[in-house]
């Protein structure tokens, strides 16, 4: 096909946290207003080469926890739990896809459990041909944290953060933008600690030092909240890919980050 060999700009990987697009206080609680607003921001920013990944929030996490899917296959009763977890993630993804596509954004959903497998929870194989092809053609792939098959555990949960970091390294991304429901990375949980201090800039070395002090998520989160998020991002930062963590719950932040404009948040760079 002609035109497909043109050199592509390095992609931006945008990860939108489940706590932004869902209401974690109720199972299957969706924030459709936020999804719509984020879709507006993505359309208006019109980034050249974008990969979107979203998390599970009140869709994937409670069901995954109820059936202990992350621990792997142990008993027959988990089988329906795996199917349910994967299914609710496709439902959440469908709502996100609706908002993108009906705004004229050429987004195509890529199901992680159909093109990736993990080994003890880490991505071990990835059939990347469809994703490469659709990026070359100007589509925007949308992936999500998923219930996934694992060569050792039978199945497990793969977080959107691991996917975002993995794809950023695989496709030599320009940067990773992480949209969360707080203003950035703090030395304590800003939702419960009024003295929590936000980091504006961190080097890899500084990030490693504070890693243990970040605390987990305060809602049901089988993939480990902020601590795990940071652990996943380290490999991308090691490859020289800068990571910007911004508040996607506040209007305009994701737009500005996608446009490369100055925005409040935490920037993590190799040095
Ligand atoms: O919210 C986990 O993805 P995350 C998705 O990015 C499931 O950690 C299925 C719990």
């Amino acid at each position: 096909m002609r035109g497909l060999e043109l050199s592509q700009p390095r992609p931006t990987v945008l990860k939108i946290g489940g706590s932004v697009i869902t209401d974690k206080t109720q199972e299957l609680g969706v924030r459709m207003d936020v999804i719509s607003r984020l879709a507006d921001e993505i359309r208006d920013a019109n980034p050249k080469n974008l990969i979107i990944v979203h998390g599970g929030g009140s869709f994937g996490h409670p069901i995954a926890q109820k059936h202990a899917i992350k621990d792997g296959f142990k008993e027959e009763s988990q089988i329906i739990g795996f199917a349910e977890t994967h299914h609710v993630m496709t439902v959440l993804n469908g709502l996100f896809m609706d908002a993108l596509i009906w705004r004229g954004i050429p987004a195509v959903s890529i199901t992680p459990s159909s093109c990736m497998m993990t080994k003890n929870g880490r991505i071990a194989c990835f059939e990347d041909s469809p994703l490469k092809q659709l990026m070359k053609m100007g589509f925007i792939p949308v992936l999500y944290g998923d219930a996934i098959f694992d060569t050792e555990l039978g199945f497990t949960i793969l977080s959107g953060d691991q996917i975002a970091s993995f794809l950023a390294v695989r496709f030599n991304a320009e940067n990773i933008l992480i949209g969360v429901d707080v203003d950035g990375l703090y030395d304590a949980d800003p939702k419960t600690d009024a003295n929590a201090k936000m980091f504006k800039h961190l080097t890899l070395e500084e990030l490693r030092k504070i890693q243990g002090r970040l605390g987990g998520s305060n809602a049901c989160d089988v993939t480990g909240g902020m601590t795990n998020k940071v652990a996943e991002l380290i490999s991308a930062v090691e490859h020289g890919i800068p990571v910007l963590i911004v508040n996607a719950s506040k209007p305009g932040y994701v737009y500005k980050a996608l446009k490369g404009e100055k925005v409040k948040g935490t920037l993590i760079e190799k040095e």
Side-chain angles (χ1 to χ4, degrees), residues 19 45 49 79 104 112 151 159 212-213 216-217 222 225 238 254:
S19 53
N49 199 358
I79 294 285
T151 54
S159 75
R213 296 195 274 125
S217 167
V222 298
E238 275 170 352
V254 165

Side-chain angles (χ1 to χ4, degrees), residues 55-127:
S58 67
F59 280 65
H61 289 277
I63 299 178
Q65 189 174 51
K66 183 171 152 201
H67 297 279
I69 302 303
K70 187 166 191 290
D71 302 339
F73 175 70
K74 303 233 164 71
E75 52 181 273
E76 211 59 32
S77 66
Q78 289 174 296
I79 294 285
I80 185 64
F82 178 93
E84 281 178 18
T85 307
H86 170 67
H87 175 63
V88 293
M89 285 309 302
T90 67
V91 172
L92 177 61
N93 177 250
L95 296 170
F96 203 93
M97 297 306 295
D98 259 357
L100 295 170
I101 286 167
W102 304 131
R103 278 168 180 75
I105 300 167
V108 175
S109 174
I110 301 272
T111 303
S113 52
S114 301
C115 62
M116 291 176 171
M117 273 186 78
T118 54
K119 182 175 183 185
N120 284 318
R122 309 305 305 168
I123 298 169
C125 72
F126 171 40
E127 173 46 65

Side-chain angles (χ1 to χ4, degrees), residues 15-19 24 53-57 59-65 85-86 88-89 144-148 156-163 221-225 228-229:
K15 160 83 199 299
I16 299 290
S19 53
K24 279 191 157 183
V53 183
H54 67 78
F59 280 65
H61 289 277
I63 299 178
Q65 189 174 51
T85 307
H86 170 67
V88 293
M89 285 309 302
Y144 46 93
D146 202 1
I148 196 139
T156 189
I157 296 295
L158 173 61
S159 75
D161 295 306
Q162 188 183 152
I163 296 175
D221 195 329
V222 298
T223 49
N228 185 64
K229 197 177 285 300

Side-chain angles (χ1 to χ4, degrees), residues 5 49 54 65 108 126 128 137 174 185 198 200 204 247:
E5 304 310 322
N49 199 358
H54 67 78
Q65 189 174 51
V108 175
F126 171 40
D128 64 359
M137 296 182 76
E174 178 92 44
L185 209 54
M198 195 191 100
K200 283 191 178 152
L204 190 54
N247 196 333

Side-chain angles (χ1 to χ4, degrees), residues 224-236:
M226 205 51 106
T227 312
N228 185 64
K229 197 177 285 300
V230 166
E232 292 298 353
L233 295 174
I234 281 178
S235 75

